[in-house]
Amino acid sequence: CADMIQVHDKENKELLDILKERLNFVSRLTEQLFMLAKLENQSIKYHDSYVEMKSYLNNILNAFEIECKDKNVIVRRKLEENIYFYIDSFHFAQVIQNLLQNALNYTNDNSTIFINLKKINSQGIIEVIDQGPGIKEEDLPHIFERYYQGQYATKSRSQGLGLSIASQIIKQEKGQIKAENLPEGGAKFTIIMTIDKR
């Protein structure tokens, strides 16, 4: 209904834009609360299959780059070939999208987000690196807790749920996820999965 409303004066247009943004916020919050409840009740069924990760990530990143244009943020990819994860492709995509959105929320305008996919021995590593303010050291141990937003939450419309959802999905997929600050600035989120031996 909000999308159907047409206004022509500047003041009401600004109010309508605020209304739409708030409606989108509530919609995202509701979806994430339902998702988190299902994860905590272990009522989500996972349909794992073998996924070649380079092409899988490229598809997600192609869509993500469109969102980055408003902040003039560049996405740099360094993705190795022939790395397969045994995952539920739908739910794993939610993890990647949450990490990317988190990076975009907190990174600076006119900067770069780096996405790496690499193999170390029997492990596959995905890294999402931003050039934002980083994570306050006292926030790091709590960053994946439900509703936790930390020092820089006011920079974005974060609900404090995305990283908690990502963490629980990765645990269900028998992987690991961690966050750290980089010496040169910015934050790095790392997913570690066992590589399928095909």
Side-chain angles (χ1 to χ4, degrees):
C1 290
D3 288 335
M4 292 175 66
I5 298 173
Q6 295 183 359
V7 294
H8 302 288
D9 59 287
K10 182 179 179 181
E11 183 178 353
N12 282 329
K13 185 177 185 305
E14 289 176 351
L15 291 173
L16 182 60
D17 288 341
I18 293 171
L19 173 64
K20 289 179 180 180
E21 193 277 330
R22 295 296 173 88
L23 287 171
N24 287 332
F25 176 84
V26 173
S27 177
R28 292 193 304 270
L29 177 61
T30 304
E31 290 173 3
Q32 290 191 327
L33 284 169
F34 276 117
M35 180 67 175
L36 193 58
K38 289 180 180 180
L39 285 167
E40 291 179 344
N41 293 331
Q42 297 184 342
S43 59
I44 292 180
K45 293 183 179 179
Y46 289 80
H47 303 283
D48 290 352
S49 60
Y50 297 111
V51 177
E52 196 281 307
M53 294 304 295
K54 181 177 180 179
S55 58
Y56 175 81
L57 290 175
N58 274 327
N59 288 334
I60 296 173
L61 292 170
N62 289 341
F64 176 65
E65 284 182 324
I66 298 172
E67 296 184 55
C68 293
K69 289 181 179 179
D70 287 342
K71 294 182 69 172
N72 198 28
V73 170
I74 297 171
V75 179
R76 299 289 187 199
R77 321 177 191 190
K78 188 175 181 181
L79 311 176
E80 291 186 17
E81 297 181 348
N82 298 318
I83 296 178
Y84 287 81
F85 290 177
Y86 189 66
I87 53 173
D88 181 304
S89 60
F90 174 77
H91 289 112
F92 200 88
Q94 291 179 291
V95 174
I96 302 300
Q97 289 162 354
N98 277 338
L99 295 184
L100 293 173
Q101 191 61 54
N102 190 72
L104 183 59
N105 286 343
Y106 291 107
T107 201
N108 301 315
D109 290 3
N110 306 306
S111 61
T112 304
I113 294 173
F114 300 89
I115 317 297
N116 302 321
L117 170 67
K118 56 189 176 182
K119 178 170 57 177
I120 301 177
N121 299 323
S122 62
Q123 293 181 323
I125 311 293
I126 297 174
E127 297 172 335
V128 178
I129 302 168
D130 67 54
Q131 294 182 318
I135 304 164
K136 198 173 180 181
E137 288 300 321
E138 53 261 41
D139 292 336
L140 273 172
H142 309 286
I143 201 73
F144 294 107
E145 294 176 7
R146 181 174 49 178
Y147 303 124
Y148 195 85
Q149 295 174 304
Q151 179 188 22
Y152 301 109
T154 53
K155 278 196 68 179
S156 74
R157 292 291 184 184
S158 169
Q159 301 92 34
L161 294 172
L163 293 179
S164 178
I165 289 171
S167 177
Q168 293 203 41
I169 291 174
I170 291 298
K171 286 178 182 177
Q172 289 292 323
E173 294 284 21
K174 299 179 174 59
Q176 303 173 51
I177 185 169
K178 62 181 182 178
E180 61 188 299
N181 288 315
L182 298 176
E184 63 272 22
K188 177 170 75 171
F189 287 83
T190 305
I191 298 170
I192 304 170
M193 301 289 293
T194 299
I195 294 176
D196 175 62
K197 297 179 180 178
R198 290 175 63 83

